[in-house]
Amino acid sequence: MIYVELSKLFRRPRMYVIVALLCLLPLIVAIFLATTRIPPPPGQGGAFLAAVLGNGALYPAAAMALVLPVFLPVAVAVLAGDAVAGEATGGTLRYLLIRPVGRTRLLVAKLVAMVAFVLFAIAMVVLTSYITGVLLLGTGPATTGGVVVLPPDVTSLSGGVISPTELVARMLGTIGYITLSMLGVASIALFLSTLTDSALGAAMGALSVLVTSQVLVTLDAAESVKPYLPTRYWLAWIDFFRDPILWRDIERGALLQLVYVAVLLGCAWANFKTRDITS
């Protein structure tokens, strides 16, 4: 069943269109930075955008900061919202469950497909943005026979030095953290997808939750609930690029997302397990 869902995911042209659009934004920003060499004013612009002018090896981190607040969560919400509700809308859910496929297995397969999409999307953004940083922002990486290899040491956000090996390790930590954060988004959308036959309704419901969370995070009057909002620690991965790494918000954010994933997937399973499928 997992193979079937993965095959469906990677055969859909819209998935590649979504990933291409995710990669396009960092490319456009890099072109403007490379041609003007004008950094954002202090305190404005995405994280790392000023730092990448000095070393484009950090551009994958800047690219993730660009796509994370809006584009990546929207993509995840749309695909996760379509996971069950889309099958119901298309009239295939009922026939799918006639086969000897348990509802739990089907839900797990849908979740695995979402994890695969998130990892694929992030990997493509990181890869294309690294190439973009090397080619457009003049990082001066070492080369062997004309082939770009690991860049020289880069400067962390705290002013320390990050070796190429450490940079790769920190990027892997960033990918893991962002993947977990997007699983929180997918859990919200997947749960709503089990409540309705409208894929658009499930996706819009998940996005409404995220927008509300983002607004409350900026509201001083909501200070008491901020630590529990799903988007509160989304950008905590930036602390991977400080020296030393600041683990407090990273750990809190990971724990919060694990709670959201466990609770919402449990609710999605309980609802889907007992739902009367008529579509």
Side-chain angles (χ1 to χ4, degrees), residues 60-81:
M64 293 313 305
L66 289 171
V67 303
L68 179 58
V70 178
F71 292 96
L72 186 57
V74 168
V76 172
V78 168
L79 290 180

Side-chain angles (χ1 to χ4, degrees), residues 176-219:
Y177 186 86
I178 294 176
T179 300
L180 182 57
S181 298
M182 292 303 99
L183 280 181
V185 177
S187 300
I188 297 172
L190 190 60
F191 169 60
L192 295 177
S193 187
T194 65
L195 297 177
T196 177
D197 289 345
S198 171
L200 179 60
M204 291 301 296
L207 292 176
S208 297
V209 172
L210 298 179
V211 170
T212 301
S213 175
Q214 290 282 54
V215 171
L216 292 178
V217 163
T218 64
L219 191 65

Side-chain angles (χ1 to χ4, degrees), residues 5-164:
E5 290 299 323
L6 290 175
S7 298
K8 287 167 57 179
L9 173 68
F10 286 97
R11 285 202 307 264
R12 290 176 175 172
R14 70 174 181 179
M15 194 272 290
Y16 296 100
V17 172
I18 290 173
V19 173
L21 291 175
L22 287 173
C23 297
L24 182 61
L25 175 61
L27 175 60
I28 293 173
V29 173
I31 291 173
F32 278 101
L33 288 175
T35 54
T36 64
R37 309 301 296 186
I38 300 175
Q44 299 182 28
F48 301 99
L49 286 185
V52 298
L53 289 176
N55 195 325
L58 279 174
Y59 198 62
M64 293 313 305
L66 289 171
V67 303
L68 179 58
V70 178
F71 292 96
L72 186 57
V74 168
V76 172
V78 168
L79 290 180
D82 185 65
V84 176
E87 300 277 8
T89 301
T92 58
L93 183 58
R94 187 174 184 180
Y95 297 102
L96 186 62
L97 293 176
I98 290 175
R99 298 185 299 171
V101 177
R103 297 190 182 193
T104 301
R105 286 180 58 193
L106 177 60
L107 209 58
V108 169
K110 296 286 187 183
L111 181 63
V112 170
M114 286 308 308
V115 174
F117 166 75
V118 173
L119 288 174
F120 179 74
I122 293 176
M124 292 305 299
V125 170
V126 169
L127 176 62
T128 57
S129 60
Y130 177 74
I131 295 174
T132 299
V134 168
L135 296 179
L136 297 182
L137 297 175
T139 60
T143 60
T144 300
V147 178
V148 176
V149 295
L150 286 175
D153 292 349
V154 299
T155 302
S156 71
L157 295 180
S158 304
V161 174
I162 302 176
S163 69

